[in-house]
Amino acid sequence: MLIDLHCHTAPRSACSALAPGRLLELAAARGLDGVCLTEHDCAWDPADLAALREAAPIAVFHAVELTTDLGHVLAFGLEPGDFSAEAAKVAEAAARRGALLFLAHPARDGLLRVTRETIEYFASVEALNGSDSRLQNIAASGLARGFRLPGIGGSDAHQEGEVGRAATRFAAAVRSDAELLEALRSGAYEAVLLE
Ligand SMILES: [Zn+2]
Ligand SMILES: [Zn+2]
């Protein structure tokens, strides 16, 4: 099952020009089985998310991309009350809830600011980011090899042309946010580029 684990939509991500419905249409047309909404520092309202899922042609998952002192962090399984700009606080909440944190686009623009202690906050990194360069993705994929879980992949789409450039291929079907978290925890997945 092919899921794009990194997508931004308007208006919840201010930098995105992509309407949620359009994201889903394009992702379906480009062969994805699902997308995960990862707005910047912002959770979807549960009623809005339910309405979007109701009309969606593919599966819709929900996570968040937090802007932290250690860079951008893709967090799966956190609650909005856990969101923080301090990675240490996010990591504490993740440990308490069983959530998983992945360092997003770790080779982009000097964002890799972790130390030998703080790198332990992360299950792994985003190994393939559809908005990064080939060399950045090679560096990120190399970094992912040092973690307990494989690196994930996502488009980081903010506009139409970027949808579906990268994704994560899961060995088993994933039907809910809880199952997505379990699938990630299992390690039975790989990041893929889909140019
Ligand atoms: Zn980011
Ligand atoms: Zn992003």
Side-chain angles (χ1 to χ4, degrees), residues 110-133:
L111 274 177
L112 187 60
R113 294 198 282 269
V114 289
T115 65
R116 71 167 66 210
E117 284 80 29
T118 58
I119 202 157
E120 301 293 337
Y121 297 167
F122 303 98
S124 189
V125 300
E126 184 180 46
L128 296 176
N129 178 297
S131 300
D132 271 358
S133 71

Side-chain angles (χ1 to χ4, degrees), residues 52-68:
L52 184 69
R53 282 173 166 155
E54 191 81 20
I58 54 174
V60 180
F61 303 94
H62 180 249
V64 68
E65 182 174 23
L66 296 174
T67 308
T68 78

